[in-house]
Structures are given as structure tokens and as C-alpha cells.
Amino acid sequence: MAALRSISKHPILLLESCSSMAHFKQILAQTITTTIIQDAFHAGKLIAFCALSDSLNLDYARLILSLTKEPTIFSLNTMIRAYSKSSTPEEGLSLYHHMKKTGVPPDNFTFTFLVRTCTQISSIGYGKVVHGSAIKLGFELDGHVESALIHMYANFGHVESARQLFGKSPDPDIVAWTAMIGAWAKCNDLDRARECFDRMPRRDSIAWNAMITGYVHAGYSREALSLFDDMQRDGVRPNEATMVSVLSACSHLGAMDQGKWVHVYIEKHRLKLTVTLGTALIDMYAKCGNIDRAMEVFCRMQEKNVFTWSSMMGGMAMHGHGDACIELLGRMREAGVAPNEVTFVALLHGCSVNGSVEKGREFFNQMVGVYRIEPKAEHYGCMVDLYGRAGLLSEAVGVIHGMPFDPHAGAWGALLGACRLHKNLVLGEYALNKIIEIESHHDGAYVLLSNMYAASNQWDGVSGLRSLMRERGVRKEPGCSVIEVDGVVHEFFVGDRSHPNFREIEAKLGEIWGRLRLEGYMPNTTQVLFDIEEEEKEDSLSRHSEKLAIAFGFISLGPEVPIRIVKNLRVCTDCHDVTKLMSKVFGREIVVRDRNRFHHFRDGTCSCMDYW
Ligand code: ZN
Ligand code: ZN
């Protein structure tokens, strides 16, 4: 007992229960008065504690290091590692120079952290110097050093250097393999990344995660989800990073069942709902069309950061709830969280869907005047949209001309959208010309303008635009809608006959048309001939992809379940009219996410108030 008590009094052991800076200072004072601090081993423990723990204090760590007579390599590595993650990573390099001068030999960890430092400060020059030293001292092919180097070269876009390095290793370890997957993914060569992944002799959760995340970042959401299934089958436990990537894939696809599965998994396995994970869940529910569930998760989260608030606000705006979006700003301020540039995108978007021009202008001014946030292209785009939607077209043009950098296609696109809404053909033509100067293959812009010509019976304009598209080789992205049923994502293209349930879908569509005609629906056939809007004009309106997907929803979902569709393009006028009518005639809630927003169809009306 006596021995135990005396051990528990050793100041270094007190570190285990130390949770505040004040307590740490007491411990530190004890180590100084008892001269324990002069012992290099104990000093290392103290340094690691304040350099790497949550109460991170690099200045103290540096101070302790300076009090240590002969610091161990562990202490020095700890410092370099801590610096590499700090806002002053270059301090690590100067510490390394100091090490060389004082004759402390570096080890593999020193090089691993130094390479990370070079990645952090984006210096390929220093990176090559460090790489050279690692070769000289025989550390180049150490698994950790090698993978840090691969990662560094990939970050600088030198994938060939990464590949050569990887090829040199006779027996690369799992860390190096994973780094190489990341390197291929980084330069968007997902086939090569996958090849690497498939050739790996052994895979841990980090390797699975690298491949899944690679797919997600490149926009291959289906591949990501299918690989996630394989991961489950292999019995590999997903970690937080995997969950975040999978949720992002679900958001992109509108695959809410799979997203919900992740949510249940988190709860069942009592995983900590971290801020990042919680924010990813909010984003998933919002983008999959269930804003109420998003709000539930939001309310239950104990810790929220600026991204959590911004995601919730962005979700509200996307669903047309401008007031709720703006209201959240007040609550966010009360919670002591300052808005950032992402928050302002959400806010301006909220004002735009609400038609609150004055408020939007005020926020834009506050952004610069109060929060010192430099507006980016996206913010200007929101302002164009805000004015344009409200019919203030000359103000919208004024915003574009007042931008401190070259206007991007998005700003002109917002103007073009406003021109369509307010039927201003002349300004619309001007906007289109600007867009194709920047992005000559922007199919959506041609389609919008062509639709405007059609709406005002200017068929010359329509055919002129079509030949211009042909001349320039602009191909229209085919319309595609997806619907998730029992966790399986079904994809429909315009005029698609490939679905196994095609006959049933045809029959259902026939039944739907019958009911709608009784309600007085007449398809707008003049539009069919000339409208090259969201889908090819050759296909009759009744085969637009979202109609096929909705019909499939009627067949395969329970009668009370809302039908949720995600579409890659804007919804066309006819589909919008038909869906409104369907929601009334069949008493069914239908939610469509198109390229820009959500449409909640209920009792014959849409949440977008027919402005989209
Ligand atoms: Zn349509
Ligand atoms: Zn709508």
C-alpha cells in the first residue's frame, strides 16, 4: 500500500488524470522543483502531453524541450510531429536543422514527420531535400517514410514520382499500398487506384476507406456504396471517416435508405456522434429530401460547429424554407458560433428563395463590413440569383459587372435563369454568349435559352441554337432520374426500356394518364415538337425520366410512403405540372430533387411556388 501511494505521487503519473492546463502547470512545477524534468525520459512524457493532447500547447512543449539537457529523439520527433499539424509547420524544419547541428541522429519517424511538414507547407523543394536525406540515411523504403513520400508527391501532382517510389519497394506494407491508392485517386485515375486496391495482399479499414473516399471524391457514388457492401461482407469494421464518405455518397445519389442504415449502425454500435459525423448525417437527410429528420439530428447534437449550422441552414434554403434558414443565424449567434463563408452562401440562398432582397443585401454587406469575409464567386452568384429572381435584372447585371474578378459561368447562369423566369430574351442571349465564352460546352445554358425561344414562339431561335450546338459538338447530358426502393437505387434514363419491370411501369403510366386526363390534363404537345429543354425532344413527354421513376415508385413503394426522386437536370414544365396533378389525384407526397433545388409536391402544389 505504502509503495503504491508513493508511486501515485510521482508527478509524471499524474498526467494520466490531468485534464486542464491549470492542473498541468501544477504538475510541471512539481517536476521542476523535484528536478524530475531534467530526466530526458520524463521530459519526453511532458512534451508529448502538451504537444499532442487536446489542450495542445506548443509553446510550453518548446519550453520544456529547452529545459531538457539531452532531449531524446522521441521528444524531438514529438515536437516536429506537433508542428506539422500546427499553424507553424515550418518550425519543425528549423528544429531538424538544430538536431543536425547538435548531432542527434534522426530516425524513420523523424523523416515521416518531416515529409508531412513539407506537404503541409507545400514545398516540393524542401520535400526533395528531405527525400534525399532519407535516401542517404537508408530510410526511404521504411513503410511510414515511403507512404508519407507517396502522399507528398501525390499532393504536388507528381504521381509518377509516387509510382516510381512505390515500385522500388520489394515488399510494400499496407500503409504504402494505401498511400498509392490515395495517390491514384488524387489524380482522378480511379481505375488504377482500384487495380492497386485489388492487388493488395491484405486490407485494413484505412485501405477500404481510401478507396471508398476516392470514389466519392471523383463522383462515383454507386461504386463507393457497392464497395462499402463488399467491406461489410469482408467483416471489416467501418470507422468514422468511412461513415462520412458513405453518407456523402448517399447524399449525392439521394439514397436515403442506405443513409438511414448508416445512422442506425452508428446508434446500434454506440459510435460517438462526432461533429463531423453528425454534420454528414444532417447533410444526407437534407439532400435526400427529409428536412425534418435533418432537423431532428441537428437538435440532438450536443456539439455543433460552424459547418453543422451552415449545413442545416443550407438544407432549409434548398427546401425553400428561407425564413427558417435566416432564423437559424440568430440561434447560431446566441450559441456563440461565428458565421463563415459557407454560412453566407446558405444565408444568401435562403434570402433568394424567400425573395428577401433587402435582407440579402444586408447580409452581403455584413459579410464584408462585420465579419471581414472576402466574398467569393459563389456569393456573387447568389446575389445575381437574389436580384434576378426578384425581377431586378439590371441590379443583377450590376453585381456581375461589379465583381472584382472575372465573372464565372455560374454568375451568368444565374442571370440566364432569371431571364427565363422574367422572359427577357435579349439579356438572355447576352448571358448565353458570355457563358459559352467561358465554357463552350455548357449544355444547360443552350437548353435554357432554347426553351425561352420556344416559349415565345421564336422557332428560328430554337433551330439556330440547335445548329450552333451541333457545330460546336455540344452534347446534351441525357436526363436521368433515380429512385431508391428497399436500399436499391434504380436508375431511369429518358425513354428507358431497360428496367426489368418495364412492362409494369408502362401499364402504370397508362393508368396514371387515364386518371389525369379525367382531371382535365392535356399534354402540351406544341412544346414536345420544339422543346429541347431538359430532355431530347424526340422522346415524348410521357417518357421523361422522372415520370418513369415516379411510376416505378407507385408500383414498388407502400401507399403511404412519399416518392422521392433525384434528377440530374432541371425539371421541365410538363413534368412539373404533371407531378403537381399526380400529388393531388393520388393523394401522394412526391419529392423531386433536381439540379438546383427540391420540389415538394403535395395536394396539387409545389413548394417552389412554380419558380425554379
Ligand atoms: Zn420533363
Ligand atoms: Zn416545384
Side-chain angles (χ1 to χ4, degrees):
M1 244 355 247
L4 236 163
R5 202 170 299 140
S6 76
I7 290 171
S8 70
K9 274 180 192 160
H10 194 294
I12 295 301
L13 289 177
L14 293 175
L15 282 177
E16 270 177 40
S17 60
C18 173
S19 60
S20 71
M21 211 53 212
H23 189 194
F24 179 76
K25 284 180 191 166
Q26 280 176 14
I27 299 171
L28 184 61
Q30 279 187 49
T31 62
I32 294 172
T33 50
T34 53
T35 69
I36 281 173
I37 199 161
Q38 287 168 26
D39 177 89
F41 172 76
H42 290 136
K45 291 263 180 196
L46 288 167
I47 290 170
F49 183 84
C50 54
L52 301 174
S53 70
D54 288 341
S55 40
L56 192 106
N57 193 318
L58 275 171
D59 294 337
Y60 265 102
R62 192 66 186 253
L63 178 76
I64 300 164
L65 186 73
S66 67
L67 293 173
T68 321
K69 279 200 189 103
E70 280 172 17
T72 58
I73 184 70
F74 170 77
S75 302
L76 291 160
N77 286 345
T78 304
M79 284 306 298
I80 299 176
R81 176 180 169 198
Y83 278 130
S84 77
K85 294 179 175 177
S86 75
S87 55
T88 52
E90 60 285 348
E91 289 288 332
L93 288 175
S94 69
L95 203 58
Y96 173 60
H97 287 303
H98 180 73
M99 266 172 82
K100 284 211 294 199
K101 253 193 276 169
T102 50
V104 183
D107 64 6
N108 55 336
F109 292 109
T110 318
F111 282 105
T112 308
F113 303 139
L114 282 175
V115 174
R116 284 194 204 155
T117 303
C118 298
T119 312
Q120 213 59 35
I121 61 174
S122 306
S123 166
I124 183 81
Y126 272 118
K128 282 185 174 160
V129 172
V130 169
H131 186 178
S133 307
I135 294 176
K136 212 155 59 189
L137 295 171
F139 292 116
E140 186 195 24
L141 297 182
D142 168 89
H144 291 282
V145 179
E146 187 191 1
S147 65
L149 282 167
I150 291 173
H151 183 71
M152 177 187 84
Y153 283 120
N155 257 299
F156 293 133
H158 296 200
V159 72
E160 192 44 40
S161 304
R163 200 189 57 79
Q164 277 173 11
L165 185 66
F166 184 74
K168 267 198 225 171
S169 190
D171 182 21
D173 67 4
I174 199 164
V175 191
W177 277 101
T178 308
M180 203 54 228
I181 294 172
W184 288 122
K186 178 105 194 157
C187 66
N188 261 331
D189 194 336
L190 273 302
D191 289 342
R192 282 239 170 91
R194 183 57 190 259
E195 201 187 300
C196 216
F197 180 79
D198 289 339
R199 274 174 44 213
M200 273 180 97
R202 205 165 56 77
R203 300 178 194 105
D204 59 2
S205 62
I206 304 170
W208 283 93
N209 191 44
M211 194 62 229
I212 291 174
T213 307
Y215 275 138
V216 171
H217 284 171
Y220 295 113
S221 304
R222 285 164 155 278
E223 284 78 359
L225 290 187
S226 131
L227 194 64
F228 180 61
D229 282 344
D230 295 345
M231 181 179 180
Q232 303 284 292
R233 227 168 289 134
D234 261 31
V236 183
R237 235 185 117 104
N239 57 19
E240 185 195 349
T242 320
M243 295 303 211
V244 170
S245 288
V246 169
L247 284 172
S248 160
C250 295
S251 308
H252 185 243
L253 285 173
M256 189 157 69
D257 287 350
Q258 299 198 47
K260 266 188 198 156
W261 183 91
V262 173
H263 194 177
V264 170
Y265 186 95
I266 295 166
E267 284 175 349
K268 203 168 92 191
H269 293 263
R270 296 178 189 281
L271 298 185
K272 191 173 174 240
L273 191 63
T274 58
V275 184
T276 319
L277 200 50
T279 306
L281 272 176
I282 291 173
D283 201 50
M284 182 279 293
Y285 279 122
K287 289 197 177 134
C288 288
N290 197 333
I291 194 72
D292 296 338
R293 277 308 283 278
M295 195 66 193
E296 261 172 46
V297 175
F298 179 79
C299 291
R300 255 186 296 167
M301 277 173 74
Q302 313 224 311
E303 196 191 336
K304 302 180 180 85
N305 66 15
V306 62
F307 294 102
T308 319
W309 287 95
S310 305
S311 279
M312 196 62 233
M313 290 161 80
M316 284 298 185
M318 204 191 296
H319 285 266
H321 306 310
D323 286 336
C325 165
I326 298 165
E327 197 195 302
L328 277 168
L329 177 73
R331 285 175 53 193
M332 177 180 170
R333 281 185 182 140
E334 276 165 31
V337 180
N340 69 4
E341 54 182 63
V342 187
T343 323
F344 278 101
V345 171
L347 270 175
L348 295 175
H349 190 188
C351 294
S352 177
V353 299
N354 240 14
S356 313
V357 175
E358 265 320 304
K359 266 230 155 70
R361 205 179 345 227
E362 201 181 296
F363 284 136
F364 190 80
N365 291 337
Q366 269 183 20
M367 194 177 154
V368 190
V370 181
Y371 295 99
R372 310 253 167 255
I373 300 169
E374 212 45 63
K376 298 229 166 88
E378 221 178 337
H379 301 105
Y380 285 101
C382 287
M383 289 307 286
V384 175
D385 190 64
L386 175 78
Y387 285 127
R389 200 166 275 279
L392 305 168
L393 293 180
S394 54
E395 276 86 346
V397 176
V399 171
I400 296 184
H401 289 317
M403 282 169 75
F405 36 78
D406 284 340
H408 59 308
W412 291 112
L415 181 66
L416 180 58
C419 292
R420 170 189 170 262
L421 210 60
H422 299 285
K423 303 189 171 49
N424 188 327
L425 261 176
V426 179
L427 196 56
E429 282 169 351
Y430 175 66
L432 176 75
N433 282 324
K434 291 291 186 184
I435 293 171
I436 55 187
E437 265 173 33
I438 304 167
E439 286 177 21
S440 64
H441 289 256
H442 196 299
D443 60 336
Y446 289 94
V447 169
L448 251 185
L449 185 63
S450 157
N451 194 45
M452 286 167 67
Y453 283 130
S456 60
N457 292 321
Q458 296 197 22
W459 309 116
D460 291 351
V462 174
S463 59
L465 216 52
R466 281 217 131 186
S467 45
L468 190 64
M469 282 175 83
R470 256 195 307 275
E471 224 170 79
R472 300 195 172 178
V474 181
R475 295 193 67 96
K476 229 170 57 56
E477 195 182 335
C480 169
S481 297
V482 300
I483 178 170
E484 188 189 39
V485 174
D486 295 332
V488 180
V489 175
H490 298 258
E491 200 170 33
F492 293 90
F493 285 90
V494 52
D496 201 346
R497 289 163 194 273
S498 63
H499 195 275
N501 299 83
F502 175 68
R503 282 181 188 287
E504 274 176 86
I505 294 170
E506 279 281 273
K508 190 76 203 174
L509 274 175
E511 188 194 320
I512 292 173
W513 297 139
R515 286 279 298 272
L516 295 191
R517 287 224 169 78
L518 284 178
E519 296 288 325
Y521 164 70
M522 285 285 289
N524 189 342
T525 44
T526 49
Q527 265 212 347
V528 184
L529 280 174
F530 299 100
D531 185 3
I532 59 157
E533 192 180 350
E534 281 72 17
E535 318 251 8
E536 284 299 328
K537 72 161 187 172
E538 291 80 12
D539 287 288
S540 81
L541 285 170
S542 68
R543 284 179 210 291
H544 277 186
S545 61
E546 60 265 59
K547 287 177 180 139
L548 297 175
I550 292 172
F552 182 63
F554 271 113
I555 297 169
S556 49
L557 295 170
E560 300 298 322
V561 185
I563 297 175
R564 296 173 199 279
I565 310 287
V566 174
K567 190 176 182 200
N568 62 338
L569 306 173
R570 291 160 47 92
V571 177
C572 85
T573 319
D574 185 70
C575 285
H576 200 266
D577 286 347
V578 167
T579 313
K580 278 201 292 189
L581 204 53
M582 280 195 282
S583 74
K584 186 173 145 209
V585 174
F586 295 94
R588 190 70 170 250
E589 189 182 337
I590 302 170
V591 183
V592 178
R593 181 178 102 193
D594 75 1
R595 183 134 84 180
N596 302 319
R597 68 187 57 255
F598 272 98
H599 302 267
H600 288 257
F601 298 94
R602 206 177 283 150
D603 298 327
T605 58
C606 179
S607 61
C608 76
M609 315 295 278
D610 300 335
Y611 270 26
W612 79 95

